[in-house]
């Protein structure tokens, strides 16, 4: 396992309970080649193992979030190589989707193809005003390959997802916010402060409750409503076995701020 300073294409830092991971291949607008994806998977494993981290912000270095998968690397692939490469990206993005801690994509510029798919693998998306979103794969002769066909319709609805994927059009951050792809749009210079503040706010809450909420939402969206409600009821009940529930409710009745302990 690499430590936080050994990545070639990523920068890693911590601000309190918040981890900040920056994809850093700025000359190629942070395009994802196999090395970036492998390092991203290693970084996620590292963060998953760090019990001090309560939330993760992912961003890009320079004027781009991620301008997609690396077209030079994949242009001569045969079908089997395409399958392996698609699986690599999808498995890393799935690992992000399944992190127990909440994740925020701070989208600072182009989020195209694999970049849009990376942003969608995060729980929340905050975009700077200059950001652009799109799935331009059909212009290159391929389908989205890192779960764009799966996550985009879940976020924006089937009709809008089909429009974006069939036309390959890019949309502005404001339009992305209108269709529900983005939570919030902010000036470029404020992006990281807003994302880190939101992550910090989440990190200040009762973490078992935050993590159970994430599980209940993610499971609930994938299953029938009866099963989903039963699952929510289970995690709700489990909260009453935690210190943080007693502390949160005692603090309310005693009119003081809670001091949560992740237990
Ligand atoms: N791959 C490789 N290189 C890239 C990529 C990319 N996706 N995007 C940008 N670059 C490179 C450019 O080639 C250029 O390199 P150089 O300086 O050596 O010529 C450098 O980055 C800077 O880019 P531009 O000069 O083009 O910058 P502009 O500001 O003029 O344009 C754009 C920015 C609009 C983002 C433009 O670069 C662009 O259209 N990039 C490609 C966007 C794209 O099509 N992305 C989707 C790729 S496919 C994908 O992501 C599929 C994911 C699933 C794959 C599954 C595999 C099996």
């Amino acid at each position: 396992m690499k430590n936080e300073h050994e990545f070639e294409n990523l920068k890693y830092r911590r601000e309190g309970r918040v981890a900040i991971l920056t994809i850093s291949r700025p000359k190629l607008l942070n395009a994802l080649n196999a090395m970036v994806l492998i390092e991203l998977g290693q970084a996620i494993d590292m963060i998953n193992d760090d019990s001090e981290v309560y939330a993760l912000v992912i961003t890009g270095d320079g004027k781009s979030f991620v301008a997609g998968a690396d077209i030079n690397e994949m242009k001569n692939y045969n079908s089997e190589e395409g399958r392996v490469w698609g699986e690599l990206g999808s498995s890393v993005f799935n690992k992000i989707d399944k992190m127990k801690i909440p994740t925020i994509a701070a989208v600072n510029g182009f989020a195209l193809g694999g970049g849009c798919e990376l942003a969608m693998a995060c729980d929340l998306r905050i975009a700077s005003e200059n950001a652009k979103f799109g799935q331009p794969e059909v212009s290159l002769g391929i389908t989205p390959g890192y779960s764009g066909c799966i996550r985009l319709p879940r976020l924006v609805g089937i009709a809008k997802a089909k429009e974006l994927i069939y036309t390959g059009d890019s949309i502005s951050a404001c339009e992305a916010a209108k269709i529900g792809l983005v939570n919030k749009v902010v000036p470029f210079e404020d992006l990281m402060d807003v994302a880190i503040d939101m992550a910090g706010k989440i990190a200040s809450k009762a973490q078992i409750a935050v993590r159970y909420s994430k599980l209940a939402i993610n499971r609930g969206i994938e299953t029938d409503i009866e099963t989903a409600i039963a699952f929510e009821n289970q995690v709700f009940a489990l909260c009453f076995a935690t210190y943080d529930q007693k502390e949160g409710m005692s603090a309310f009745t005693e009119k003081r701020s809670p001091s949560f302990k992740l237990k």
Side-chain angles (χ1 to χ4, degrees):
M1 176 68 61
K2 295 184 179 196
N3 76 34
E4 61 196 49
H5 301 298
E6 285 181 311
F7 297 112
E8 278 171 37
N9 302 284
L10 301 177
K11 294 176 185 166
Y12 179 79
R13 68 188 169 95
R14 282 260 312 272
E15 274 194 28
R17 298 288 190 187
V18 179
I20 299 129
L21 199 52
T22 305
I23 316 276
S24 185
R25 209 183 169 217
K27 281 189 186 144
L28 295 180
L29 306 184
N30 305 322
L32 302 169
N33 63 4
M35 180 58 85
V36 180
L37 288 169
I38 288 166
E39 288 193 342
L40 190 53
Q42 290 171 340
I44 299 304
D45 288 340
M46 181 184 85
I47 295 164
N48 276 336
D49 287 344
D50 187 343
S51 58
E52 301 288 307
V53 173
Y54 288 3
L56 168 65
V57 174
I58 299 180
T59 192
D61 204 352
K63 70 170 180 175
S64 176
F65 178 68
V66 166
D70 189 322
I71 297 167
N72 285 314
E73 189 173 84
M74 70 178 143
K75 70 179 179 201
N76 292 321
Y77 278 171
N78 61 30
S79 182
E80 176 58 12
E81 288 165 329
R83 188 186 63 73
V84 169
W85 215 52
E87 277 181 7
L88 171 65
S90 296
S91 68
V92 172
F93 290 5
N94 245 349
K95 200 184 276 202
I96 294 170
D97 198 3
K98 292 197 177 336
M99 288 180 90
K100 60 183 183 295
I101 60 171
T103 54
I104 300 176
V107 181
N108 54 307
F110 297 112
L112 301 175
C116 189
E117 290 164 316
L118 173 59
M120 291 191 291
C122 295
D123 294 315
L124 306 171
R125 282 150 293 284
I126 301 178
S128 55
E129 287 161 345
N130 60 306
K132 291 254 182 290
F133 293 79
Q135 297 290 158
E137 285 87 345
V138 294
S139 310
L140 298 164
I142 56 173
T143 61
Y146 296 157
S147 313
C149 295
I150 321 306
R151 291 200 175 94
L152 189 57
R154 280 167 167 73
L155 282 169
V156 304
I158 291 175
K160 201 70 204 175
K162 284 180 174 170
E163 180 189 327
L164 287 171
I165 290 172
Y166 295 174
T167 63
D169 282 349
S170 295
I171 56 170
S172 67
C174 279
E175 193 171 347
K178 271 190 214 144
I179 64 173
L181 181 54
V182 156
N183 294 77
K184 198 181 263 216
V185 181
V186 298
F188 180 81
E189 57 276 15
D190 297 341
L191 177 67
M192 290 313 290
D193 285 346
V194 173
I196 292 167
D197 278 0
M198 190 187 281
K201 182 176 196 176
I202 294 168
S204 74
K205 305 293 178 186
Q207 290 308 295
I208 295 172
V210 168
R211 294 172 191 185
Y212 279 160
S213 300
K214 175 169 174 171
L215 261 185
I217 294 166
N218 287 357
R219 291 241 182 131
I221 212 81
E222 299 299 336
T223 189
D224 66 281
I225 195 156
E226 295 298 331
T227 311
I229 290 170
F231 186 78
E232 187 196 55
N233 189 250
Q234 296 282 338
V235 293
F236 176 72
L238 284 172
C239 290
F240 287 87
T242 66
Y243 168 92
D244 284 347
Q245 175 269 326
K246 301 290 176 270
E247 169 61 10
M249 294 194 182
S250 301
F252 176 81
T253 54
E254 291 160 18
K255 302 192 186 306
R256 61 173 173 84
S257 299
S259 176
F260 294 122
K261 293 196 169 159
L262 183 52
K263 65 178 191 175

